[in-house]
Amino acid sequence: WRWIDTVTTQLELSDAAPEDLAVVLSSTATDPELRDAARHALERIGCAVVVLGPCGRAGVEDPLGNPVVLAGLRAADLVVDLADLVGHSSHRNELLLDTRVLAITVDRAADLDRLVAHPGLARRVEHLDQLLESATSLRLVSVEAESLDVALEGSRRRLDRGVADRIGELARWPAGAVWVRPHSGGVAGAVVLLPGDILIEAQHLVRSPVRLEIEAGHLVEIIGESTDADVLRSQLEADPHPDDAYQVSEIGLGLNLLRIGSPAGPFDASKLSVGQGAAAAGCCSVRFGRARAPSATVTMTSASALLDDRSIVEAGHLSGAVAPDVYERAAAR
């Protein structure tokens, strides 16, 4: 019932309403308990529910390419995608002309125990977006006092709100981040990765300091003789687009509050679990390569962030207007 309660709240945030037609989309890899939780949550709200799948069997690259499947999804008011099939479909834009999609991207229903479904997250994401809109610069400062300066003029932003409350919207949940796409050459300085920081795509926790020097939006040097530095170098060298691999594509600020408190230590593997990583509250990330297919994302878990010298993250903790209020914190207990 805890899982159903959590999913129900998140669906209501996505404006699921009585008498809506909702389709639950799953694959052969979907946890049956997660599928049941989604179905029961929609039924509790009063939606008419169709469970479609499992789709995505071996040998089928894009199940939405089936016109019957696509037509069924387009007829829905809300699609709950438990396999992130829509996000990887070439028919995504066609589908989103008529409906909205909430992708619940957890592997197991038990992962829902960590998540907080609360309207405060979307509000904080939108508020941070407004702060970035009016700011001229963003600075990320590591505990070594090294800083990375990001010019915001001419930049674009991508919001990760986790709610699909508008036709044409595809939202993934768990969520909670704002990503800044700086203009070419608008990033300069240094990033120092410290023990407990994360190499996201490699699912690797850093154990030794690694210094990254960035000039005019490009990574020019990795300083460190350790396995951590070698993992990062290997990621960058393996990118199939070498001309883009070392370019800073996005800067991310995480806002996601978890139900369970802080990890037990810098090397706690829970940092790599659902809802953590770059989206975790207080994390600051730098992404290299192409935004949709990055070569590497480095996430600092104890850095600070300032907008025009106004603090929004202090040593890995959200501060000021982007910090969770007392009601959201209570929901996380």
Side-chain angles (χ1 to χ4, degrees):
W1 287 109
R2 289 196 311 273
W3 303 338
I4 296 171
D5 286 342
T6 299
V7 175
T8 299
T9 301
Q10 195 64 29
L11 290 169
E12 289 174 337
L13 292 174
S14 291
D15 284 349
E19 300 182 5
D20 278 355
L21 174 60
V23 174
V24 177
L25 184 61
S26 64
S27 76
T28 54
T30 301
D31 179 0
E33 291 184 319
L34 178 62
R35 184 167 55 241
D36 288 344
R39 176 173 60 84
H40 287 308
L42 288 164
E43 289 174 345
R44 173 190 282 183
I45 292 169
C47 300
V49 184
V50 176
V51 179
L52 186 60
C55 301
R57 295 183 177 87
V60 181
E61 293 184 1
D62 186 356
L64 273 64
N66 183 320
V68 176
V69 173
L70 184 60
L73 295 175
R74 292 184 66 175
D77 297 295
L78 173 66
V79 175
V80 181
D81 185 356
L82 304 181
D84 205 12
L85 294 173
V86 174
H88 295 91
S89 172
S90 60
H91 298 273
R92 175 180 61 185
N93 293 338
E94 185 179 354
L95 171 62
L96 292 175
L97 289 173
D98 301 299
T99 189
R100 61 195 194 278
V101 179
L102 176 66
I104 301 179
T105 56
V106 299
D107 294 328
R108 307 170 304 140
D111 292 333
L112 297 168
D113 283 330
R114 297 183 58 81
L115 304 182
V116 179
H118 193 278
L121 176 61
R123 286 198 297 264
R124 290 188 293 110
V125 168
E126 291 164 357
H127 186 63
L128 179 54
D129 180 54
Q130 294 170 2
L131 294 176
L132 287 161
E133 174 71 28
S134 60
T136 60
S137 66
L138 169 65
R139 172 173 289 183
L140 305 184
V141 183
S142 74
V143 295
E144 295 292 323
E146 296 284 1
S147 64
L148 184 71
D149 293 309
V150 182
L152 296 177
E153 183 178 358
S155 66
R156 295 178 295 162
R157 295 178 305 283
R158 177 169 61 87
L159 306 188
D160 180 17
R161 300 188 308 140
V163 294
D165 53 3
R166 296 185 286 261
I167 294 294
E169 187 159 25
L170 167 61
R172 291 182 173 87
W173 180 73
V178 177
W179 292 90
V180 177
R181 297 180 179 179
H183 66 80
S184 178
V187 184
V191 168
V192 177
L193 301 179
L194 296 171
D197 289 345
I198 310 170
L199 306 181
I200 296 294
E201 287 76 16
Q203 288 287 279
H204 177 82
L205 292 174
V206 173
R207 293 182 175 272
S208 303
V210 179
R211 178 185 169 90
L212 312 181
E213 296 187 351
I214 297 170
E215 297 178 1
H218 284 78
L219 177 61
V220 296
E221 190 167 5
I222 301 173
I223 301 174
E225 300 299 328
S226 65
T227 301
D228 307 300
D230 291 340
V231 169
L232 181 56
R233 292 187 185 103
S234 297
Q235 284 184 269
L236 295 164
E237 292 168 0
D239 192 290
H241 307 284
D243 292 340
D244 300 323
Y246 296 83
Q247 178 178 337
V248 175
S249 57
E250 293 185 313
I251 307 294
L253 300 171
L255 299 167
N256 187 39
L257 183 67
L258 294 175
R259 185 174 300 280
I260 299 174
S262 300
F267 308 121
D268 190 329
S270 71
K271 284 186 174 184
L272 305 175
S273 64
V274 62
Q276 285 271 31
C283 283
C284 303
S285 300
V286 181
R287 178 165 286 170
F288 300 98
R290 299 189 173 188
R292 289 189 177 273
S295 53
T297 304
V298 299
T299 294
M300 295 176 284
T301 59
S302 55
S304 298
L306 300 96
L307 284 177
D308 292 342
D309 297 324
R310 176 182 181 179
S311 176
I312 55 173
V313 180
E314 296 180 1
H317 298 281
L318 297 173
S319 63
V322 298
D325 62 22
V326 63
Y327 302 105
E328 192 174 355
R329 291 197 301 271
R333 290 174 185 166

